[in-house]
Amino acid sequence: MQIATIGIDLAKHVFQLHGVGPDGQVVLRQKLRRAQMMAFFAKLPPCLIGMEACATAHHWARELRALGHEVRLMPAHYVKAYLKRGKNDAADAEAICEAVTRPTMRFVAVKSREQQAVLVMHRTRDLLVRQRTQAANSLRSLLAKFGVAEAQGICRLGRLRAHLETDIVPEPGRKILVLLAEQIDELEKRIAQVDAEILAWHRANQTSQRLARIPGVGPLIASAIVATVADASVFRSGREFSAWLGLVPRQNSSGGKQRLGRITHQGDGYIRRLLIIGAQSALLGSKEVKANGWVQGLLSRYARLKVAVALANKMARIIWALIAKGDAYRPTTAVPTA
């Protein structure tokens, strides 16, 4: 049996395979347990393998490539259009096998183990920050039951802790709130530890250092993008990269009329959020951004948050150019206005 293309529907323990020959005829429909995967593909002649990009897809792509196969990962929502019938593992594998052979299909670059290790730091930091926010909000709301009202923000935690040193909250409630405050302190220490690890990796990576020279892009954003974008050549332009991040307007155009709405919010939400936060910081503290005539023109017509999103879009395009072409960032010179 000669197999040219295989679609694999990934799972935790049971994997569904759908294979076709060079003439497109179905020659394989099979389920494999996790322990059987490597032995099966080691005996198989090199072929094209398609999978949906998910949590474990990059691991399996690296393993199967080591056996000589050509592996391509695809976004799951692009594969959905090739599903012919109801949702089940066999139908999903068939749709994957069909989608991977399409000439216009867009593929996801396979990440290395080192890139995924960096993303582990970012995902852990994001989790710790959310836990700190939850604990701080809980502490604020519980103190509000006793007439304590403080503004939101991590910088206001010192005022909340000061109330715990008084008798405004009777025992044993005060002891429990002290435990909650200590948990916030412990989370801050862990976040600082992760930040130190990210900064150490950033200083050892030249591409990340080049990206950090862009106004609004620091070690956190630069390291996250370098670890996420395995191959910048999969994007044909900077606009395609910013569209992948969901920073371009949503289109509802028809009949020759262009209708642009809000940004699409598609793609990697973590990097998109970091870029918008970095753009807001650049609007407040970067002399280069403040002297930019394009930015000042937008600020005179639109709200600051909308300008920050537009600036994040521009930052994403610059980042793609630096990664794809290997250039260094050159600051723009201020053009005097009449």
Side-chain angles (χ1 to χ4, degrees):
M1 138 177 108
Q2 185 177 2
I3 300 177
T5 308
I6 293 181
I8 305 178
D9 183 46
L10 298 175
K12 187 178 295 184
H13 300 296
V14 180
F15 302 80
Q16 179 69 44
L17 275 60
H18 183 93
V20 298
D23 56 354
Q25 296 298 318
V26 179
V27 295
L28 174 68
R29 287 193 182 99
Q30 185 174 351
K31 284 185 179 181
L32 292 178
R33 302 291 298 181
R34 185 182 186 89
Q36 299 172 324
M37 282 283 290
M38 296 305 296
F40 176 84
F41 283 99
K43 299 177 182 178
L44 201 66
C47 61
L48 173 62
I49 299 175
M51 295 183 289
E52 291 179 336
C54 61
T56 61
H58 296 273
H59 163 73
W60 287 112
R62 291 191 299 266
E63 295 294 325
L64 295 179
R65 280 185 174 181
L67 297 177
H69 300 285
E70 180 184 358
V71 184
R72 297 178 183 176
L73 306 183
M74 300 165 290
H77 58 279
Y78 287 169
V79 178
K80 185 69 176 179
Y82 297 91
L83 191 62
K84 297 178 182 178
R85 52 184 180 273
K87 176 79 171 65
N88 57 68
D89 294 345
D92 289 345
E94 182 179 356
I96 294 170
C97 185
E98 175 68 21
V100 75
T101 60
R102 296 301 91 197
T104 59
M105 177 57 62
R106 296 181 178 179
F107 299 103
V108 178
V110 179
K111 294 182 178 63
S112 65
R113 291 168 55 89
E114 291 73 19
Q115 287 177 309
Q116 290 194 300
V118 177
L119 289 178
V120 166
M121 295 191 293
H122 282 273
R123 298 294 181 262
T124 303
R125 184 187 184 278
D126 188 42
L127 174 62
L128 294 175
V129 169
R130 285 188 280 112
Q131 289 178 344
R132 182 184 63 179
T133 302
Q134 292 171 356
N137 290 340
S138 179
L139 179 61
R140 183 181 298 105
S141 63
L142 292 174
L143 284 174
K145 298 178 183 297
F146 299 92
V148 177
E150 293 290 349
Q152 295 182 358
I154 298 300
C155 59
R156 305 295 198 281
L157 286 178
R159 297 182 180 180
L160 294 176
R161 293 190 182 94
H163 292 291
L164 298 180
E165 299 176 359
T166 65
D167 58 353
I168 191 172
V169 180
E171 300 293 351
R174 191 182 70 85
K175 292 182 179 179
I176 303 303
L177 293 181
V178 169
L179 291 177
L180 187 57
E182 291 175 351
Q183 181 183 0
I184 296 174
D185 294 336
E186 183 63 27
L187 288 171
E188 289 182 340
K189 293 179 182 178
R190 294 180 180 179
I191 293 173
Q193 182 180 358
V194 177
D195 286 340
E197 294 292 337
I198 293 176
L199 182 60
W201 185 89
H202 163 76
R203 290 174 175 172
N205 187 276
Q206 294 182 356
T207 304
S208 184
Q209 292 182 43
R210 286 192 291 109
L211 297 184
R213 297 188 179 97
I214 304 172
V217 178
L220 190 65
I221 300 176
S223 59
I225 291 178
V226 172
T228 303
V229 182
D231 183 10
S233 63
V234 299
F235 305 103
R236 293 174 294 181
S237 63
R239 189 195 182 282
E240 195 169 279
F241 176 62
S242 62
W244 175 70
L245 293 174
L247 287 170
V248 299
R250 184 186 302 274
Q251 291 198 38
N252 188 21
S253 303
S254 179
K257 295 182 180 179
Q258 285 194 353
R259 298 180 180 88
L260 302 181
R262 299 180 178 181
I263 59 174
T264 63
H265 290 88
Q266 296 179 350
D268 196 310
Y270 177 69
I271 294 180
R272 182 176 62 251
R273 183 172 74 249
L274 290 181
L275 283 174
I276 294 176
I277 294 173
Q280 290 175 315
S281 177
L283 288 175
L284 293 175
S286 173
K287 294 182 180 179
E288 179 184 344
V289 173
K290 289 182 178 180
N292 190 294
W294 173 75
V295 173
Q296 295 306 315
L298 290 179
L299 287 173
S300 64
R301 301 192 305 271
Y302 303 107
R304 180 172 290 271
L305 180 57
K306 195 171 186 178
V307 177
V309 174
L311 181 58
N313 188 341
K314 187 175 183 179
M315 291 163 53
R317 298 184 185 211
I318 296 173
I319 288 170
W320 176 86
L322 297 187
I323 297 178
K325 301 178 182 179
D327 294 338
Y329 177 74
R330 294 181 292 273
T332 57
T333 56
V335 178
T337 58

